[in-house]
Structures are given as C-alpha cells and as structure tokens.
Amino acid sequence: MKYMYLLLVLVLGMAVSCSSSDDGPIAPPDQTLYFPPIGSNTWETVPPSSLQWDESQLDPLKDFLIQTNSKSFMILVNGRIVIEEYFDGHTAQEPWEWNSAGKTLASATTGIAQQNGLIDIDNKVSDYLGENWTNMDLEKENLITVRNLLTMTSGIDDTKQLVVKSNLTYIADAGTRWAYGNVFQKLMDVVAESSATDFESYFNTNLKAKIGMDGFWNEGTIFTIFHSTTRSMARFGLLSLNNGSWDGEQVIDASFFTECVTTSQDINPSYGYLWWLNGKSQYMLPSDQTVYPGTLIPNAPADMVAAMGAKDQRIYVVPSKNMVVIRMGNASDPQNANFAVSGFDNALWEKINAVIN
C-alpha cells in the first residue's frame, strides 16, 4: 500500500505539472523597446495573438488597404513588427515616395544642425542665406526666423510652390499667419550653408546612417522628395517614438524633438515642427485659412502625431500604445488627392481600432 500511495502521488504530480505547462497563461510580449540592427535585414516580430488583438478583423483591414490603393502597411509595437503587408506587386526591397511626410526628416536634420552648434532656430534665416533671399522688403524678410520655417509661419505667399526668389513674396508678418507651403525647403539650404556641405550628405551622415535607413532625395523642379523602403520609414517612426533616441544614442536632441511634436504656435494648434498633431481643439489644412473645430483624426488616439504626405503617405506614432503605423501607396481617392489629412485617415483608424482594441 505504501508503494501504491507513492506511485499515485507521483502520477498526480506529473499530471498537475503537465496541466500547468499546457494550459497556463501565454507569456506576455516583451515590453522593452527593440531596435533592429543597423546593416541587417533582421527585425524581430511578434504575432497579433500575443497582443490579444482581434485577428478576425485583420482581413477587413487588409481588404480596406487594397481597396484604397495601398502599396505597403506596417504596425510596430515596442519596435517589433506585428503586421507587415505589401500589395499590388510592391515589395519590401522597393523604395516609395514619402512626399510631404519627408518634411519631418528636414525638421529632424535642422534640429541636429542646431545641437551640433551650426545654427540657432531663433536666428534670422538671412543669417545663413544672406540678405535678399526673398522678394520682400528687407525689413519684412528680417522677421523670418528658422523657427518660422519649421512652423509654417514665415508669412510668405503659399500659393506659389516653386521656391525661387521671385515667388517668395510678402503676405503677412512672420509669426502672424499659418500657411502650409513649400518654402520649408529653405531649411535644407540653411543646413547646407551652415555645414558647408550639401543637405543630403549632412542628412546621410547625421541621421540616415545613425538608424540604418536606406533611401535618397529626389530634387525635382518644384518638390524635393525622399524615397525609401517601408522598413526605413518605420525606422524613422521608431526613432520618433523614442523621442529622437536610437538604441541608446540620442540622434536628435530630446528637447528639440519634444518641440517638434508639440503645438508650435497658437494659430494652428495641430501643427508642430512639420509634424501633424492629433487631439487638439482645432486644426487648419493646406491651401486653406479656415480653422476647423475638433481633433484632426477623431478615430485615432489623442496622443498620436503624424508625418503626412500627398497620396496618403503616413507615419503615425502613438506613444500611449508604443506603436508606429506606416502606410505607403497611391492616393486612396485619386480624384481627391490631399497634401495632408483626408477622410482616409479616419477610415483607416476605424479598421485599425477593430483589430487592436
């Protein structure tokens, strides 16, 4: 009987052990912030199930992305890839245009030039480009600071997108009018002049190489546009999620980056330093002086900030969820292509919310 009792205890113990192993709770996902290595295609992934997402809503999200002419889509959580999809023949190796989402790269590079002691964003633009860089009276031109270029408050005519001197005419005193325009490109000239090199070289050394991005700037007659793979866009989103720091190195000064994603002036509270900001009380849009009440993208988290480009190129950064969302592609509505926020954003976030909430 003694041996039978011991055998019974042993069997029960093994059963409990097996039950605990098979039916126990799933280990929670790693909450540490992950950075993919530089010079490698390695990138950690986590399954949606580990985040308790509703996987039944993944196909409706993908269907929506296909229907709205997307080329690629990614979601990172804590830096790890949860969703990565390519559509319409596009691949992970192919670059795509950022359009105005690339303004955030110009903003970041300007901040790096300031932390390197080359510029001060509160100085006049003419301190770097010389007098008469505009077609304005010198008195009005001297009101324009580098910060005004970062905040879209230069007062320069926003209806003329070709950035040549003859088009840089006076509309209002700097700091008194918000207007989305192409004159932000003068930031690139400020960086180039202050660093005694061309903008792309400075950008490549001080930002692109630091976080392992690929890509190139295409200087057209009117627009200067960055192109990269989807994963490189995601790398910049991850840098932004971590307040300008990459794997322990502060690439962009933290206080400057905080300013980038904070209301930069009191005219359009939904705009930082070339970043769009959700969750504010009102907003303005490109080519329009109307002030709209309410938040920029109601379906998106209030703390979301976004890099937005024409044809719905997007980087959404959501600190409260440790999340980065990337969308590249053609215009969701080719008949009504927008430079910035469109109805696409709210519809996309409805689909995202169905998955993650």
Side-chain angles (χ1 to χ4, degrees):
M1 287 295 293
K2 178 180 179 181
Y3 294 106
M4 290 292 293
Y5 175 79
L6 290 174
L7 181 61
L8 179 61
V9 168
L10 180 62
V11 169
L12 288 173
M14 290 175 64
V16 170
S17 175
C18 291
S19 175
S20 298
S21 174
D22 294 341
D23 302 328
I26 298 172
D30 193 340
Q31 298 298 311
T32 60
L33 196 59
Y34 166 80
F35 295 90
I38 292 171
S40 170
N41 289 326
T42 301
W43 200 313
E44 286 187 9
T45 64
V46 293
S49 59
S50 71
L51 301 171
Q52 298 184 326
W53 286 3
D54 187 346
E55 294 182 273
S56 71
Q57 296 301 313
L58 287 173
D59 283 341
L61 170 61
K62 293 176 189 177
D63 290 343
F64 172 80
L65 291 163
I66 292 168
Q67 292 161 10
T68 51
N69 307 310
S70 301
K71 290 287 186 179
S72 63
F73 183 78
M74 286 185 69
I75 296 182
L76 309 180
V77 175
N78 295 316
R80 296 169 181 83
I81 296 173
V82 188
I83 298 174
E84 182 176 25
E85 296 287 343
Y86 297 91
F87 310 101
D88 193 29
H90 193 67
T91 69
Q93 291 72 43
E94 290 181 84
W96 193 259
E97 62 197 41
W98 287 39
N99 296 332
S100 284
K103 285 181 170 68
T104 55
L105 297 175
S107 170
T109 309
T110 301
I112 292 170
Q114 176 170 258
Q115 73 198 41
N116 288 341
L118 300 179
I119 67 173
D120 184 329
I121 65 170
D122 288 319
N123 286 351
K124 303 189 299 293
V125 175
S126 57
D127 288 347
Y128 307 100
L129 303 186
E131 293 182 348
N132 298 310
W133 63 276
T134 69
N135 196 25
M136 300 162 64
D137 291 340
L138 189 58
E139 177 189 3
K140 298 301 185 182
E141 178 183 284
N142 281 336
L143 297 175
I144 304 173
T145 65
V146 177
R147 189 187 297 272
N148 291 133
L149 296 180
L150 287 166
T151 61
M152 294 291 187
T153 58
S154 68
I156 291 173
D157 185 357
D158 56 299
T159 65
K160 301 168 185 175
Q161 295 301 320
L162 178 60
V163 182
V164 295
K165 180 178 176 179
S166 60
N167 284 346
L168 304 182
T169 55
Y170 176 87
I171 292 290
D173 283 0
T176 66
R177 181 176 186 266
W178 185 89
Y180 188 91
N182 221 20
V183 73
F184 88 95
Q185 291 177 4
K186 283 296 177 181
L187 289 170
M188 298 176 170
D189 294 342
V190 168
V191 171
E193 290 295 328
S194 64
S195 65
T197 186
D198 62 278
F199 174 82
E200 185 161 10
S201 295
Y202 191 82
F203 163 81
N204 288 346
T205 300
N206 291 279
L207 179 53
K208 178 181 162 184
K210 298 272 188 178
I211 64 174
M213 292 176 69
D214 57 43
F216 60 92
W217 290 91
N218 181 16
E219 295 188 25
T221 303
I222 296 178
F223 300 106
T224 299
I225 295 173
F226 192 67
H227 296 66
S228 83
T229 59
T230 303
R231 285 193 172 194
S232 280
M233 195 182 218
R235 282 176 179 265
F236 182 67
L238 180 55
L239 176 73
S240 303
L241 178 66
N242 202 35
N243 209 38
S245 178
W246 184 271
D247 201 15
E249 179 181 1
Q250 196 68 48
V251 178
I252 309 167
D253 179 75
S255 60
F256 178 85
F257 189 79
T258 297
E259 291 177 19
C260 288
V261 293
T262 303
T263 297
S264 59
Q265 27 63 50
D266 58 8
I267 307 167
N268 182 5
S270 296
Y271 207 70
Y273 291 171
L274 308 182
W275 280 87
W276 292 91
L277 317 177
N278 202 36
K280 307 303 178 183
S281 60
Q282 59 191 44
Y283 61 93
M284 297 173 67
L285 296 176
S287 306
D288 191 353
Q289 285 297 296
T290 304
V291 177
Y292 297 93
T295 190
L296 196 67
I297 306 173
N299 283 339
D303 68 328
M304 186 205 73
V305 299
M308 295 187 170
K311 301 180 183 178
D312 303 308
Q313 318 310 320
R314 298 290 189 263
I315 305 174
Y316 304 112
V317 178
V318 188
S320 62
K321 295 183 179 294
N322 291 325
M323 180 183 291
V324 173
V325 180
I326 305 295
R327 187 270 182 186
M328 288 178 143
N330 291 311
S332 58
D333 181 357
Q335 303 304 314
N336 296 287
N338 292 279
F339 283 109
V341 68
S342 67
F344 167 78
D345 298 277
N346 218 36
L348 175 58
W349 272 98
E350 181 180 358
K351 298 296 183 182
I352 293 172
N353 286 338
V355 173
I356 69 175
N357 290 336

